[in-house]
Amino acid sequence: MNYRHAYHAGNFADVVKHAVLARLVDYLKRKDKAFRVIDTHAGIGLYDLGSEEAEKTGEWHDGIGRLIEARLPADAAALLAPYLDAVRAVNAEGGISRYPGSPVIARHLMRKQDRLSAIELHPEDARTLAQHFEGDFQTRVTELDGWLALGAHLPPKEKRGLVLVDPPFEIGGEFDRLVEGLKKAHRRWPGGIFALWYPVKDRKAVAAFREALGDAGIPKIMDIEFYIRPPSAEPRLDGTGMVVVNPPYQLESELNTMLPALGKLLAEGPGARWSVEWLAGEDAAS
């Protein structure tokens, strides 16, 4: 299972993931007190949609390519506006030739008192990311294994904020690392918001992951799943998921507004669906 991001930037999974990210950052901005966003697998920050990698898959055409000029219901459009503003900000000449990764989206939405910690393990990618944020005193780029950051960087001094964990799924065991990493991070910072992205290719692995999260002893866990097609005969990215720990109270309602609009726009035939479920918390299924 390989999710090297240059090949997939701007696809349907990015749209859902980054729309949720933008809602979480927007929530944090409702109080004047500063917050920190910690992105544990930050990537290079900005992706050229005309690159060899992006052109090889062309996935962005059926993701952000569909959304950027789409007519949406007014309530969904309002909720998606911060995310789409961040995309348009890196395409000032119009159209869409570049796609912002999660650190660039988060940074675009932050205020002057907020801070971003962008963690990236790959040396070349970390250098590219650092160059993008050169001179930005609100952002610190660190070349480090993102899993280690869940210990070393928590809790942040601001005591408010969000941790985004978005691993590339290049090697086996990522679902196990997500569960163990979250448990460690939550022990260090039980009041933080955590957002964990995962791909839906192996449905059995996803089911086991969700069960493990439900058994993790963490009080509030919401799971968002978004499928653009029914299960494929061969392993294929049929869907995307996002786990949110300590979600803002209004997030579920916002998702119930955004996801139907995105589902209608991004679906690839019958079998597309979305869901918002509590894995732990008051509304968790027994």
Side-chain angles (χ1 to χ4, degrees):
M1 189 180 298
N2 188 322
Y3 200 84
R4 188 65 175 168
H5 206 78
Y7 291 93
H8 309 285
N11 72 355
F12 79 92
D14 264 3
V15 167
V16 175
K17 171 174 57 185
H18 292 149
V20 174
L21 170 64
R23 297 315 310 156
L24 294 174
V25 174
D26 187 74
Y27 165 77
L28 288 167
K29 291 163 63 176
R30 298 187 181 191
K31 293 183 179 180
D32 290 336
K33 190 176 179 182
F35 63 82
R36 183 175 296 267
V37 175
I38 300 172
D39 191 337
T40 64
H41 297 75
I44 64 173
L46 190 62
Y47 297 88
D48 177 5
L49 297 179
S51 69
E52 180 180 352
E53 293 89 349
E55 287 294 334
K56 184 174 181 179
T57 64
E59 291 181 8
W60 70 270
H61 292 285
D62 293 324
I64 190 60
R66 292 187 186 182
L67 177 61
I68 195 68
E69 301 296 345
R71 290 181 175 272
L72 299 168
D75 51 359
L79 293 172
L80 289 164
Y83 160 53
L84 291 177
D85 286 347
V87 175
R88 292 188 177 103
V90 298
N91 292 281
E93 69 284 359
I96 180 163
S97 59
R98 290 178 292 275
Y99 186 79
S102 49
V104 173
I105 291 172
R107 180 65 185 90
H108 175 80
L109 298 173
M110 286 162 45
R111 307 158 302 178
K112 64 180 181 180
Q113 65 266 45
D114 307 319
R115 297 293 183 269
L116 169 65
S117 295
I119 314 298
E120 177 52 47
L121 174 62
H122 298 282
E124 185 177 347
D125 289 357
R127 286 193 295 271
T128 300
L129 187 63
Q131 289 169 1
H132 179 82
F133 286 114
E134 188 173 3
D136 182 354
F137 74 93
Q138 290 180 244
T139 299
R140 181 176 181 181
V141 176
T142 303
E143 184 184 327
L144 180 71
D145 185 340
W147 299 112
L148 297 178
L150 292 175
H153 287 248
L154 296 179
K157 65 179 182 180
E158 292 84 1
K159 307 301 182 186
R160 296 183 69 234
L162 162 68
V163 178
L164 174 66
V165 186
D166 178 18
F169 281 81
E170 293 179 302
I171 58 176
E174 293 286 54
F175 282 116
D176 293 336
R177 276 185 285 275
L178 278 172
V179 174
E180 294 307 311
L182 175 62
K183 287 196 277 190
K184 177 176 70 174
H186 187 265
R187 284 194 296 269
R188 293 184 64 90
W189 192 26
I193 299 173
F194 297 88
L196 286 66
W197 176 84
Y198 63 91
V200 179
K201 284 188 175 181
D202 182 339
R203 308 249 174 162
K204 290 183 179 179
V206 170
F209 169 61
R210 297 174 84 245
E211 183 177 0
L213 286 172
D215 294 338
I218 296 172
K220 296 180 181 180
I221 305 179
M222 176 186 288
D223 182 51
I224 305 153
E225 290 192 316
F226 186 93
Y227 299 84
I228 60 170
R229 63 176 76 91
S232 300
E234 299 295 330
R236 188 181 181 193
L237 189 70
D238 296 321
T240 184
M242 194 88 163
V243 169
V244 182
V245 175
N246 295 325
Y249 72 92
Q250 76 273 32
L251 181 62
E252 185 172 11
S253 174
E254 292 182 350
L255 291 168
N256 286 329
T257 298
M258 289 194 309
L259 294 181
L262 291 176
K264 184 176 181 180
L265 184 68
L266 302 178
E268 294 188 2
R273 64 179 181 85
W274 59 271
S275 65
V276 179
E277 298 181 27
W278 287 87
L279 303 182
E282 293 181 357
D283 300 320
S286 58

